[in-house]
Amino acid sequence: MGRVYGHVPGEPEGTHYPSRAALSQAGVHRPLRSGVCGDALGGAASVVLSGGYEDDEDQGDVIVYTGQGGRDGASGRQVADQTLVRGSGALERSRALGRPVRVVRGRGLRSPFAPSAGYRYDGLYR
């Protein structure tokens, strides 16, 4: 099956997954490590918020997602401007197309909206 934009049939909002592998198998977020699933041509299909970027902000219905790139691996902080390639390019393309992106929150996210275990599909965001 190719990349699915929007809801994945049979995977409703609020569904919990024990692992990234389970997310991938369900088709909710295919990459096992990357936080963004997509490309600069078609846009982003999904993102996983799991605490990998210290600068991410989760306000429930508003998310400030750092994107991909420019991150210092030791501190997790952004140390360089990102370019609109790879995952960041995919997010920009979705914005330009008006295409919503599936959001998954993981237990590692420092947020009151994060699940206590595993990962949870929390719906479509723009």
Side-chain angles (χ1 to χ4, degrees):
M1 169 158 79
R3 188 171 293 138
V4 174
Y5 296 94
H7 293 294
V8 175
E11 303 296 327
E13 286 182 39
T15 301
H16 284 82
Y17 304 88
S19 65
R20 289 288 292 257
L23 275 174
S24 181
Q25 185 174 7
V28 175
H29 185 78
R30 294 271 184 205
L32 294 175
R33 294 191 49 105
S34 179
V36 180
C37 176
D39 59 54
L41 181 62
S46 59
V47 297
V48 172
L49 307 171
S50 60
Y53 285 84
E54 185 175 301
D55 299 331
D56 288 350
E57 295 178 28
D58 183 2
Q59 302 165 13
D61 60 347
V62 174
I63 295 166
V64 177
Y65 188 74
T66 304
Q68 190 173 40
R71 177 177 162 250
D72 177 68
S75 70
R77 296 199 57 84
Q78 285 302 115
V79 296
D81 290 338
Q82 295 179 354
T83 56
L84 296 178
V85 297
R86 299 180 32 219
S88 295
L91 289 167
E92 170 55 23
R93 182 70 174 154
S94 287
R95 186 208 57 80
L97 293 171
R99 182 178 282 165
V101 176
R102 286 188 304 278
V103 170
V104 175
R105 287 181 172 93
R107 69 185 172 280
L109 181 63
R110 293 170 298 280
S111 165
F113 305 101
S116 59
Y119 297 86
R120 183 184 62 234
Y121 169 49
D122 281 346
L124 300 176
Y125 284 63
R126 291 190 188 273

